[in-house]
Amino acid sequence: MIDLQLIEQCRGGNFNNFRKLVELTSPLVYSVAFRMLGDEDQAKDVVQETMVTIWQKLKKIKTAEVYKTWIYRITVNKCYDKMRKRKRNPEYLADDLEWKRISDKISEGPSHALENSETTRIISILTDRLGKKQKAVFILTDLEGMSSDEVSEITGISKSSVKANLFHARKSISEKIEKYL
Amino acid sequence: MKPESEKYQKIINLLKESGPGLGSTEDIERVVIRRISKGNYSRSWFSDTIDFLFSWVYIVWVRRALISASVILVFIFILQQGVILRRIDMLSSQTILNNREKVSTQVDEIDKLFIEYKNWGKRFPSKTITISEKQMQELLESVNELKLKYKDLESIIDSDPELQKMIQKKLNENNRLKINL
């Protein structure tokens, strides 16, 4: 649990408290970065860069609630930067075997959690046609379970735009699922 | 989203359950603390000032407002340039009077030009004449003087019937008419 007291202590420049903050915050940042980028190393880079930025700008944080939105905003922006810098990914075309594997995983149910590589593959297959904003909105809403208000604040786009992006993302993903599974 | 996409929901649940595992955060903590320690001294009042002065550019609505304002300013600039060019075209179609340039016309045309000068609001239509303001002033003065002299002459002729007869006779002889100015 990230509270304002911990943030206040970090502002004083105490590295030990900041270690605690990194420990609490990193998994949240990593989850979004990994799902957005589909690459463990790049996601870890984003975590590091985000934590350094948090340290530098911690003075601006007034409440713990704002902190959560703020770290996600930094994370999403850093992911956008990474996506922009790297060469355009070739369209991830899954073969029948791959779809069969995904289908089997679904049949196994949620008790059989996916490995990171499998998660990456599935997200890549499903979201390869989405724009970066659509992808961000889909991941934050459907996978991270955030409300459209929160997503709007994190991504800096209007609530109606969030809903429109989400609608298109879901439609595109549903079409793939209906077609191949 | 369509209610029939049960498979969609299953995949989303599977992906949600399979949150990417970061593992130990110690490596990230170490790297982040090292980066912060390195940059701690270089982080000076300068970067704080830059942040304080320019961090507002990261606010989405401010950024959009600035973009809109700049587009409007560019539009106004282009519009203004158009107006200025039109005005320059119009002015260049009229002859600019200056003291250095000399009269370049026949003496016979003076009357016609004088009328034009009056009609055109003290400007000549292009390519008809180039004349200095001083010369034009002299011309006007001489015309006025001529008018006065003509009036004097008329009054002298009117007051003397003998003279009238003589002039009439002379005119008839020469088969010429009196010119009204």
Side-chain angles (χ1 to χ4, degrees):
Chain A
M1 178 68 188
I2 301 159
D3 56 17
L4 192 58
Q5 200 184 349
L6 181 61
I7 296 167
E8 281 293 342
Q9 286 164 348
C10 292
R11 279 181 196 163
N14 189 324
F15 281 162
N16 286 330
N17 289 323
F18 189 65
R19 269 182 215 277
K20 177 82 180 155
L21 195 70
V22 172
E23 194 187 328
L24 292 170
T25 310
S26 294
L28 306 175
V29 175
Y30 182 75
S31 174
V32 173
F34 178 78
R35 284 167 166 164
M36 287 273 289
L37 299 167
D39 183 289
E40 286 187 54
D41 290 336
Q42 284 199 339
K44 281 180 181 169
D45 282 351
V46 168
V47 175
Q48 288 171 16
E49 287 167 19
T50 304
M51 295 317 299
V52 171
T53 307
I54 288 170
W55 171 260
Q56 288 172 341
K57 303 193 173 173
L58 209 54
K59 284 178 188 170
K60 290 176 183 172
I61 295 302
K62 299 282 186 288
T63 64
E65 287 77 31
V66 174
Y67 176 78
K68 200 180 163 194
T69 313
W70 184 61
I71 56 163
Y72 278 123
R73 192 186 306 153
I74 295 171
T75 307
V76 168
N77 285 334
K78 294 220 180 278
C79 288
Y80 283 165
D81 287 345
K82 290 269 179 201
M83 288 160 102
R84 212 177 295 128
K85 277 178 193 167
R86 71 185 181 190
K87 284 179 184 171
R88 191 177 149 73
N89 285 343
E91 196 174 342
Y92 201 106
L93 294 170
D95 53 21
D96 292 343
L97 195 69
E98 193 126 41
W99 284 112
K100 173 84 172 54
R101 265 208 297 270
I102 295 170
S103 185
D104 290 345
K105 282 285 172 188
I106 296 168
S107 312
E108 284 170 15
S111 54
H112 292 77
L114 300 169
E115 287 176 18
N116 278 0
S117 58
E118 290 172 321
T119 308
T120 305
R121 224 169 28 239
I122 294 175
I123 292 176
S124 298
I125 292 167
L126 297 178
T127 62
D128 63 349
R129 279 192 208 156
L130 302 183
K132 63 178 184 179
K133 275 185 185 169
Q134 288 177 347
K135 191 171 180 177
V137 168
F138 163 71
I139 287 167
L140 293 172
T141 311
D142 279 1
L143 302 186
E144 297 292 331
M146 293 181 196
S147 68
S148 51
D149 283 327
E150 286 173 311
V151 177
S152 167
E153 206 156 318
I154 290 164
T155 54
I157 54 180
S158 66
K159 207 174 151 186
S160 56
S161 202
V162 167
K163 284 179 180 170
N165 277 303
L166 186 60
F167 173 79
H168 288 296
R170 281 175 175 170
K171 195 176 164 216
S172 167
I173 292 167
S174 294
E175 279 170 5
K176 276 199 171 183
I177 291 170
E178 292 300 321
K179 192 174 173 185
Y180 295 106
L181 291 178
Chain B
M1 194 176 59
K2 291 175 187 174
E4 69 264 21
S5 58
E6 195 187 328
K7 284 177 192 167
Y8 176 91
Q9 209 49 55
K10 274 186 179 174
I11 287 194
I12 296 301
N13 287 340
L14 184 65
L15 289 171
K16 259 180 159 174
E17 293 296 323
S18 314
L22 177 59
S24 168
T25 57
E26 277 178 24
D27 287 345
I28 289 176
E29 278 173 37
R30 205 175 46 250
V31 173
V32 169
I33 296 294
R34 198 176 61 230
R35 282 176 67 174
I36 291 168
S37 306
K38 267 188 195 171
N40 214 19
Y41 298 103
S42 63
R43 185 171 164 71
S44 59
W45 59 271
F46 179 74
S47 55
D48 281 342
T49 313
I50 293 293
D51 275 357
F52 177 74
L53 289 175
F54 301 111
S55 57
W56 50 268
V57 299
Y58 297 109
I59 301 168
V60 176
W61 71 264
V62 173
R63 214 165 41 205
R64 282 182 186 160
L66 284 174
I67 291 166
S68 309
S70 57
V71 167
I72 291 167
L73 284 174
V74 167
F75 180 72
I76 289 170
F77 175 76
I78 291 167
L79 206 71
Q80 205 179 27
Q81 289 299 306
V83 170
I84 290 169
L85 282 174
R86 258 210 318 264
R87 184 85 181 127
I88 288 170
D89 270 355
M90 200 186 84
L91 288 173
S92 64
S93 72
Q94 297 171 354
T95 304
I96 297 165
L97 302 176
N98 64 60
N99 286 325
R100 289 191 298 270
E101 290 173 348
K102 302 293 176 189
V103 175
S104 61
T105 184
Q106 299 290 323
V107 179
D108 304 352
E109 294 173 344
I110 290 291
D111 281 346
K112 192 180 150 200
L113 290 170
F114 177 63
I115 293 161
E116 280 182 353
Y117 178 77
K118 277 186 156 182
N119 289 344
W120 281 81
K122 298 199 172 184
R123 283 199 187 99
F124 281 105
S126 65
K127 295 172 187 172
T128 55
I129 190 169
T130 49
I131 190 168
S132 76
E133 207 166 351
K134 192 181 167 192
Q135 286 167 328
M136 182 52 72
Q137 199 58 43
E138 283 170 3
L139 182 67
L140 287 172
E141 280 168 9
S142 70
V143 169
N144 286 335
E145 197 182 338
L146 197 62
K147 275 182 176 177
L148 286 172
K149 283 181 177 173
Y150 183 76
K151 276 182 184 173
D152 287 346
L153 189 64
E154 266 188 333
S155 60
I156 291 166
I157 292 168
D158 288 344
S159 62
D160 190 346
E162 286 297 317
L163 188 60
Q164 266 184 16
K165 280 180 186 172
M166 199 180 80
I167 290 170
Q168 193 61 49
K169 189 180 170 190
K170 199 73 181 168
L171 283 172
N172 288 339
E173 276 175 15
N174 294 336
N175 198 21
R176 288 179 66 181
L177 295 170
K178 183 182 165 186
I179 299 165
N180 285 319
L181 279 177

